[in-house]
Amino acid sequence: MPAAGGIRGAVIVYGRNPVREALRGRRAANVGEIWATSATAREAWLRGRSPRVASAQEIEQRCGSAAHQGVCAEAGPYPYAQVERLLDGGEGVLVALDQVQDPQNLGSICRTAECAGAAGVVIPERRAAEVTPAVCKASAGAVEHLPVARVRNLADFLAEARRAGLWSYGASAEPAGGKRPVPYDAPDYRGAGVVLVLGSEGRGLRPRVAGACDELFSLPLRGRMASLGVAAAAAATLYEILQKRVDSAS
């Protein structure tokens, strides 16, 4: 079922949090028609928006997912950030993803990054998940507030980040790019801007990307599993970085 309205390049965002955050975030002025079940349409956060009442089946047909939670909305294309603006962020933390392809992983990482106060996320233009409605849902709407930028070449971006005064730390359980990883709590994440670099599902960091990092680190594994998922690794490391920065500021 096609979306109503005249927003050029419109997509259908679905789920309570994604729609709510779209109404509060960078796409707020570019949200059009909203469809909601009769129960959802009465919720306080939709007051004044005059959603069109629709059945759950109609909403599922419109957004293409059963995970709509009774609401979906027409929105403009996702507004990617300019990478130059992210590099001008001074002492913030950026997350760079090397060909992460699972929309659920991208969304989960964006949600954690936003909650941990990261300045933005950088993803490649090719062979990587982009910000789709499924990613919006997986991020619980965090992508509406967290800047996400796309770059043609991630290794070149890391070189640019170094010139801008940022330090890049790549997660790798094994030596890569001519570097051996240190424990994840060994680097000094304080002071200068930081780029946390995470590899793709199953493959990890590509050699050239690993070689472009200033240092590699590994997370400890005490159980029987051979590795953490990329979203879990992002969460563990982002909060290690946050804790070190909070400790240094107190």
Side-chain angles (χ1 to χ4, degrees):
M1 184 182 295
I7 299 176
R8 187 174 183 179
V11 296
I12 300 296
V13 177
Y14 58 90
R16 284 187 178 87
N17 284 333
V19 174
R20 181 188 293 116
E21 301 310 323
L23 292 169
R24 302 197 308 151
R26 294 191 302 277
R27 280 194 279 191
N30 212 11
V31 175
E33 192 79 49
I34 301 172
W35 296 267
T37 60
S38 57
T40 305
R42 292 193 295 270
E43 293 187 9
W45 64 276
L46 275 174
R47 288 175 187 165
R49 300 298 307 193
S50 301
R52 183 179 298 182
V53 176
S55 69
Q57 183 179 9
E58 289 171 331
I59 294 172
E60 181 175 346
Q61 289 176 340
R62 191 170 294 279
C63 69
S65 173
H68 53 74
Q69 298 176 308
V71 63
C72 69
E74 182 186 43
Y78 184 75
Y80 286 101
Q82 294 182 337
V83 72
E84 294 79 11
R85 296 190 65 180
L86 294 185
L87 291 176
D88 286 340
E91 299 180 356
V93 177
L94 300 176
V95 180
L97 304 178
D98 185 17
Q99 296 188 340
V100 169
Q101 297 180 350
D102 187 331
Q104 296 298 312
N105 281 335
L106 176 56
S108 179
I109 292 167
C110 287
R111 182 176 187 175
T112 301
E114 203 284 327
C115 289
V121 168
V122 178
I123 58 177
E125 292 179 354
R126 300 178 59 197
R127 298 187 180 92
E130 57 186 274
V131 181
T132 61
V135 171
C136 296
K137 181 67 169 64
S139 78
V143 293
E144 304 298 340
H145 308 288
L146 178 75
V148 179
R150 301 177 79 193
V151 295
R152 181 169 297 178
N153 186 290
L154 196 63
D156 290 347
F157 161 74
L158 295 177
E160 188 177 354
R162 180 180 292 144
R163 290 191 292 270
L166 284 75
W167 289 78
S168 299
Y169 300 98
S172 180
E174 305 291 339
K179 296 180 173 68
R180 295 187 65 85
V182 301
Y184 80 115
D185 56 353
D188 184 359
Y189 300 112
R190 302 168 297 176
V194 166
V195 184
L196 170 61
V197 190
L198 299 156
S200 64
E201 304 90 349
R203 295 179 54 193
L205 297 177
R206 289 173 294 165
R208 185 164 179 253
V209 172
C213 294
D214 294 294
E215 195 166 26
L216 299 182
F217 68 87
S218 63
L219 288 157
L221 298 172
R222 299 291 184 259
R224 297 186 180 184
M225 298 299 292
S227 66
L228 283 170
V230 63
T237 311
L238 277 168
Y239 274 92
E240 171 66 18
I241 295 171
L242 176 61
Q243 187 62 58
K244 284 200 170 183
R245 288 175 168 243
V246 169
D247 289 346
S248 68
S250 59

